[in-house]
Amino acid sequence: MDLTRFHAVFVEEAAEHIENLETGLLLLEKSPDDIELLNDIFRSAHTIKGSSGTVGLPDISRFTHVMEELLDDLRNREFPANEEMISTLLEGVDMIKEMIDAIRDETVFEFSRCAPLMERITALQGKQPVQQDTQQDSLQITAQPPENRLYLIDFLTTPDLFRQGTDPARLISELAELGQIESISASSDKVPPLSSLDPESLYLSWIIKLNTNASVEEIREIFLFVSDDCTVEITQLLSPEKELPLLGKLLTEEGVVSAEDVRQALSKQQKLGEILVSQGKISQAQISKVLEKQGMQKAESFKKSVSSSIRVDLNKLDHLVNLVGEMVIIHSMFQQVMNDFEGTETNSRNSKTEKTERLFSQLQRIGKDIQEGTMALRMLPVGEVFQRFARLVRELSTSKGKEIELVISGEDTEMDKGVLEKVTDPLVHLIRNAVDHGIESTAERIAAGKPARATVYLRAYQLGDAVFIEVEDDGRGLDRDRIITKAIANGVIQSAAMLDENEICNLIFLPGFSTADSVTDISGRGVGMDVVKRNIEALKGSVQLRTRKGQGTTISIRLPLTLAIIDGLAASVGNEVFIIPISSVVESLRPEQSVVHTVEEQGEVLNVRGEYIPLLRLSRILSIEPDKKDPWDAIVIVTHHENRKYGLMADALLGEQQVVLKTLGSATPKVNDIAGGTIMGDGRIALVLDIAGIIEKSRG
Amino acid sequence: VKYLINNSAQTGWTSPSNLLDRTKGLPMEERLKLSGELTICNIEELFETLKEALGQHQQLCIDLGAVEKIDTAAAQMLISAKNEAKATSISLSFVVPPAIKLWLKGVGIQL
């Protein structure tokens, strides 16, 4: 079988792992004890080894194996990583890079060049150099038989299989020819009782564990003729010797027992560990140590099996999202045409228009599904970013001499990749703040009767059309009085008399504000929370802060699910159409003349069921001649921004619609009150209002 | 195609009296002896035979001792018969010779 067609994929995939190896090794130099990091490095090496073997590149596989062994020793804490090891391993990474470059360029790499380096790496392990054949020196040779692998085959049949003349038993015997069927079970749940059985329908499905040196493709070939109707899922499990007697393999590797001992013990079908102890081959302590390792490996293999994905160029994805956006626009246009149709031909509605309408609504539904599916492509679980923070907190807590645990939850919450990338920096800031200012020193905590070990919670969840990310600490909370003193000293406020608790806390989001007494290397330079706030607001999100003195602080970030397509309310002012994002609309109403009041120096206000809200005339803010001069003739759209309501006055409401948000382009200077533009169903251009900007502008 | 299922019409059911002789103390049980090849080719016949047998007896033992060959369709039907028996509270058992047992094990089917 020709495996070369997989080489391009391998080259691309390997690049990422090589990068990971490289940065990992560099980090390892700084913290040689970081087991998480070592695991990560090991995983990358292991993946390179595994996938190179799979695509028929035994040289890379063999070379990486030597590196992997050294890494494994390091991981098992047999000895700490020293500088020499790290630089040798880095040399190894360079060597792999060269080999991979050779594959990409389709040139020949002399494998003998690896030999001296392989020897040096092996020497560092303190073991004998591995037997290797340096005569075989080009990449084409495949002397070593490929390793046996264990596959889980989920064979979901179609009822028609018998009628097509296929007996699944034949497929199973063909599978058996590929290797060893370790276990097979037919699921008979769907077989009905005789009275309702169709004798020529197949109801059984199979789950098969196959131990073979064949590739997934070779297995798939067996199912080739049935693949149109049946679902065949093939998953590679860990290699058999790792999968089954993991403890046994580890014990053998450690040199505690021989492989023969393990096999004998296994045949007795008791707990392997107990038997070996009772035979006096090892002590309970040794077992516990290895069992611990087994747990770790299991967790790892679990992690590995979780995600299966392909890599797609982000540009391609964005292009697709754009196209879907265009489709949404065409849909709106079509809708418009359909509506016009209806208007002119109400009495002559025939079956054709009805049919068209039905088809259109189907098309619309599919379009919506495609749109959602495409948007989902851009979504990533926040866990990928969150995991980094575990390391950050660990480092920070050590450098500050505080005992802090980071509790992460909601890693599966998905967010737009673009948003996720931009939210990382603010999160780093918030977490640093929590560790540096939020959490008290251990002594202080004990004096306050709190547990010495502090906790920082990092959680994410989705609520409606928004994703919330919260950073919570169980530290000292914000000091209200210190904020006030500082704010007055900085001239931010004159007195705190007018401010409520919430407003005082939110003062820390103002530029140049820091309550820390001393500037530390972590935070306290006064450029913090305002930057966080600005970054989040740039993502159309908002930041909220809750704090209780002595109990802790929670900062909650609200982010929209996506930025590209929004639900909007179309409203007209004069001849122009504007879109107001539905997410900030509370209600729309036409006020009675009696509820519109003018308050001196505050402008117009509206009494909405007893609540006074400021009335902002869009025509005035946007400098457009309105059709309606008085609020009681016009329409007021009540919006909310930062916990306050504002009534926006427009001439008329045109309806709700989904719009594709487009930037106005680089030629337009940044306008605060406009978030972007969109093309309406009738082909007109409408501007999408930025509520925060509008409110800002109304104040100025 | 070589077949067949032995049923009462051809080589006949083993008569109740015979059964009494061999399996003392289990008078109500009927033994259905199947033989030859049980495959998709004669699946309808097996279907009818099983339906008939299950419709007539409260206790039934299906004897596969003389079966030379079986395929998935037939094996599935035996499972179906078991399900039927369960649903109608009939006690059903199987006598499976080693060769068939091995085949069933090979395809992961449990009777």
Side-chain angles (χ1 to χ4, degrees):
Chain A
M1 184 168 179
D2 182 23
L3 291 168
T4 46
R5 61 201 167 103
F6 298 114
H7 287 179
V9 182
F10 169 75
V11 168
E12 194 182 331
E13 190 192 279
E16 189 186 330
H17 291 295
I18 285 176
E19 198 180 307
N20 202 14
L21 262 178
E22 204 161 32
T23 47
L25 285 169
L26 289 170
L27 281 171
L28 190 68
E29 198 154 32
K30 291 187 198 111
S31 48
D33 294 329
D34 191 337
I35 191 78
E36 185 60 37
L37 179 62
L38 254 169
N39 279 335
D40 197 33
I41 299 171
F42 180 83
R43 269 196 297 273
S44 290
H46 187 76
T47 312
I48 296 176
K49 178 184 124 177
S51 46
S52 58
T54 317
V55 299
L57 299 167
D59 288 352
I60 298 180
S61 179
R62 228 181 307 164
F63 182 78
T64 324
H65 176 74
V66 178
M67 287 177 67
E68 191 196 67
E69 279 192 333
L70 178 57
L71 285 166
D72 198 29
D73 283 352
L74 289 174
R75 201 166 63 141
N76 298 338
R77 307 261 166 162
E78 287 182 7
F79 37 77
N82 59 31
E83 211 186 309
E84 189 195 352
M85 281 176 198
I86 288 171
S87 25
T88 316
L89 282 169
L90 281 170
E91 274 181 61
V93 174
D94 292 340
M95 192 65 93
I96 300 175
K97 265 196 226 166
E98 279 189 50
M99 286 194 253
I100 289 174
D101 285 348
I103 292 159
R104 194 192 47 213
D105 306 337
E106 292 177 5
T107 53
V108 172
F109 180 88
E110 301 287 325
F111 187 62
S112 53
R113 282 178 51 203
C114 297
L117 187 56
M118 275 166 86
E119 263 167 46
R120 271 164 55 211
I121 296 174
T122 323
L124 285 170
Q125 265 170 272
K127 288 183 189 162
Q128 290 303 306
V130 284
Q131 208 58 43
Q132 50 178 298
D133 191 358
T134 42
Q135 305 299 93
Q136 299 177 328
D137 47 13
S138 77
L139 275 171
Q140 283 86 356
I141 36 96
T142 328
Q144 276 185 337
E147 230 176 87
N148 263 23
R149 285 177 291 264
L150 192 61
Y151 295 97
L152 186 71
I153 303 165
D154 203 343
F155 180 31
L156 273 171
T157 57
T158 164
D160 287 335
L161 214 58
F162 288 151
R163 281 187 280 268
Q164 291 164 3
T166 307
D167 186 341
R170 191 175 51 83
L171 300 175
I172 292 165
S173 68
E174 274 177 45
L175 273 182
E177 278 166 27
L178 276 187
Q180 166 103 28
I181 291 185
E182 299 228 326
S183 74
I184 174 166
S185 85
S187 145
S188 54
D189 301 347
K190 295 211 174 76
V191 179
L194 215 52
S195 45
S196 45
L197 179 87
D198 172 3
E200 290 188 359
S201 282
L202 176 61
Y203 302 90
L204 297 165
S205 284
W206 279 265
I207 291 178
I208 304 156
K209 254 191 200 172
L210 178 70
N211 185 354
T212 174
N213 54 21
S215 65
V216 175
E217 285 69 31
E218 284 171 85
I219 298 173
R220 229 167 242 298
E221 270 172 31
I222 290 185
F223 294 97
L224 196 62
F225 294 108
V226 297
S227 58
D228 285 348
D229 313 289
C230 303
T231 318
V232 182
E233 269 177 40
I234 303 172
T235 325
Q236 188 182 339
L237 302 172
L238 275 185
S239 60
E241 60 267 44
K242 266 188 190 162
E243 169 85 355
L244 292 168
L246 183 53
L247 176 59
K249 185 174 187 251
L250 291 173
L251 288 168
T252 324
E253 276 179 358
E254 303 260 302
V256 182
V257 291
S258 76
E260 195 48 43
D261 287 331
V262 175
R263 257 195 294 279
Q264 271 181 10
L266 268 179
S267 65
K268 298 199 173 166
Q269 293 291 320
Q270 287 176 24
K271 269 200 176 163
L272 178 55
E274 286 167 17
I275 301 164
L276 290 170
V277 171
S278 69
Q279 289 180 347
K281 299 273 196 260
I282 51 171
S283 72
Q284 190 59 48
Q286 280 171 306
I287 291 250
S288 321
K289 193 179 136 214
V290 180
L291 271 174
E292 217 171 277
K293 229 171 82 180
Q294 181 180 12
M296 255 161 50
Q297 289 207 357
K298 272 192 182 151
E300 242 175 69
S301 59
F302 170 71
K303 263 190 234 157
K304 254 186 264 173
S305 63
V306 169
S307 122
S308 71
S309 56
I310 61 160
R311 296 160 56 83
V312 178
D313 187 346
L314 200 58
N315 287 329
K316 284 187 193 168
L317 210 56
D318 284 343
H319 181 61
L320 188 63
V321 172
N322 256 332
L323 286 179
V324 170
E326 299 293 331
M327 190 177 74
V328 171
I329 292 170
I330 299 290
H331 268 301
S332 313
M333 288 180 172
F334 201 8
Q335 177 97 63
Q336 193 93 23
V337 175
M338 299 286 292
N339 289 349
D340 293 349
F341 239 40
E342 226 169 284
T344 53
E345 290 183 57
T346 33
N347 36 9
S348 65
R349 275 169 63 92
N350 51 29
S351 65
K352 267 190 194 152
T353 39
E354 255 174 46
K355 209 170 166 186
T356 318
E357 227 165 67
R358 210 170 46 237
L359 284 176
F360 174 68
S361 69
Q362 272 177 21
L363 196 63
Q364 210 166 22
R365 206 193 61 234
I366 297 167
K368 206 170 158 54
D369 288 350
I370 295 180
Q371 182 197 326
E372 277 168 13
T374 319
M375 298 321 285
L377 290 180
R378 282 188 59 98
M379 300 299 238
L380 284 180
V382 293
E384 288 182 23
V385 169
F386 277 17
Q387 284 313 322
R388 283 186 231 163
F389 294 127
R391 216 180 124 70
L392 177 73
V393 168
R394 192 186 159 279
E395 265 177 18
L396 291 180
S397 55
T398 333
S399 81
K400 299 290 290 182
K402 295 173 181 175
E403 249 186 273
I404 301 167
E405 188 185 1
L406 179 71
V407 180
I408 294 175
S409 63
E411 298 102 312
D412 297 335
T413 315
E414 292 195 324
M415 276 175 76
D416 188 278
K417 182 181 161 68
V419 179
L420 190 58
E421 271 168 7
K422 290 194 183 108
V423 86
T424 312
D425 281 349
L427 277 179
V428 170
H429 232 112
L430 293 179
I431 287 174
R432 287 183 165 208
N433 266 334
V435 172
D436 200 19
H437 307 315
I439 305 286
E440 316 89 327
S441 67
T442 313
E444 238 177 286
R445 287 182 69 87
I446 293 169
K450 288 172 153 188
R453 192 180 179 83
T455 316
V456 173
Y457 298 91
L458 179 59
R459 55 176 91 88
Y461 54 93
Q462 189 186 336
L463 203 71
D465 62 348
V467 170
F468 289 81
I469 299 179
E470 287 181 355
V471 179
E472 182 187 339
D473 64 66
D474 64 349
R476 57 168 76 92
L478 286 182
D479 190 331
R480 182 178 175 277
D481 298 332
R482 249 164 80 191
I483 295 175
I484 295 172
T485 321
K486 180 99 182 194
I488 293 174
N490 281 6
V492 179
I493 53 170
Q494 264 73 50
S495 89
M498 293 287 287
L499 299 172
D500 65 22
E501 209 64 29
N502 196 14
E503 283 170 314
I504 293 168
C505 291
N506 283 298
L507 285 175
I508 66 161
F509 289 116
L510 294 172
F513 204 97
S514 172
T515 55
D517 291 330
S518 65
V519 170
T520 70
D521 60 333
I522 297 175
S523 52
R525 291 196 178 82
V527 280
M529 298 307 269
D530 63 314
V531 179
V532 170
K533 191 178 159 85
R534 216 180 312 134
N535 286 348
I536 300 297
E537 280 177 355
L539 295 169
K540 304 272 173 290
S542 58
V543 191
Q544 282 284 322
L545 185 142
R546 295 187 299 273
T547 184
R548 285 183 74 179
K549 198 170 178 187
Q551 294 190 10
T553 310
T554 306
I555 293 168
S556 174
I557 299 176
R558 180 189 188 279
L559 292 161
L561 267 182
T562 178
L563 305 176
I565 297 183
I566 57 166
D567 284 314
L569 197 64
S572 68
V573 181
N575 291 325
E576 300 292 331
V577 178
F578 294 96
I579 305 285
I580 299 161
I582 284 275
S583 55
S584 43
V585 173
V586 181
E587 60 179 326
S588 56
L589 49 95
R590 173 165 291 158
E592 299 275 321
Q593 189 169 354
S594 59
V595 302
V596 183
H597 307 279
T598 307
V599 178
E600 235 171 290
E601 285 182 31
Q602 295 276 333
E604 285 171 300
V605 294
L606 208 58
N607 181 349
V608 182
R609 296 182 290 274
E611 189 182 357
Y612 282 91
I613 59 174
L615 179 71
L616 315 177
R617 288 172 186 251
L618 283 180
S619 55
R620 208 168 282 167
I621 296 165
L622 300 164
S623 317
I624 297 167
E625 187 58 38
D627 290 343
K628 313 268 170 66
K629 295 273 189 292
D630 298 312
W632 45 92
D633 289 330
I635 200 99
V636 175
I637 299 146
V638 181
T639 58
H640 65 90
H641 176 65
E642 292 185 331
N643 288 335
R644 290 199 179 177
K645 288 182 182 170
Y646 300 88
L648 304 183
M649 182 180 137
D651 286 344
L653 272 191
L654 303 178
E656 195 183 321
Q657 101 182 91
Q658 249 189 359
V659 296
V660 183
L661 193 61
K662 305 235 171 200
T663 54
L664 295 179
S666 49
T668 328
K670 175 95 184 87
V671 196
N672 280 337
D673 46 353
I674 303 296
T678 191
I679 303 166
M680 301 283 290
D682 56 7
R684 280 207 286 171
I685 304 282
L687 294 177
V688 179
L689 296 184
D690 181 331
I691 299 303
I694 291 282
I695 290 161
E696 188 91 350
K697 201 167 170 187
S698 74
R699 285 179 188 146
Chain B
V1 177
K2 189 191 161 202
Y3 80 132
L4 213 59
I5 304 149
N6 286 343
N7 62 22
S8 47
Q10 282 145 2
T11 30
W13 301 90
T14 12
S15 75
S17 58
N18 275 350
L19 198 80
L20 263 178
D21 291 346
R22 261 184 284 134
T23 58
K24 283 171 191 137
L26 286 169
M28 288 294 284
E29 192 178 71
E30 183 64 68
R31 186 168 284 235
L32 171 63
K33 239 176 159 359
L34 303 172
S35 66
E37 294 193 352
L38 304 182
T39 64
I40 188 92
C41 307
N42 51 29
I43 199 77
E44 280 297 336
E45 243 162 303
L46 178 65
F47 192 37
E48 294 308 319
T49 311
L50 288 174
K51 272 199 289 196
E52 196 190 324
L54 281 168
Q56 286 175 354
H57 305 281
Q58 278 306 300
Q59 286 186 310
L60 182 68
C61 173
I62 299 175
D63 187 345
L64 305 174
V67 172
E68 289 158 21
K69 191 183 168 189
I70 187 168
D71 72 354
T72 313
Q76 175 179 279
M77 189 163 285
L78 293 177
I79 294 172
S80 174
K82 211 172 82 174
N83 290 346
E84 176 78 27
K86 209 172 178 181
T88 51
S89 326
I90 294 172
S91 136
L92 176 71
S93 59
F94 293 97
V95 173
V96 189
I100 302 293
K101 215 174 237 173
L102 196 68
W103 184 88
L104 289 171
K105 202 180 160 212
V107 292
I109 293 176
Q110 274 193 320
L111 280 187

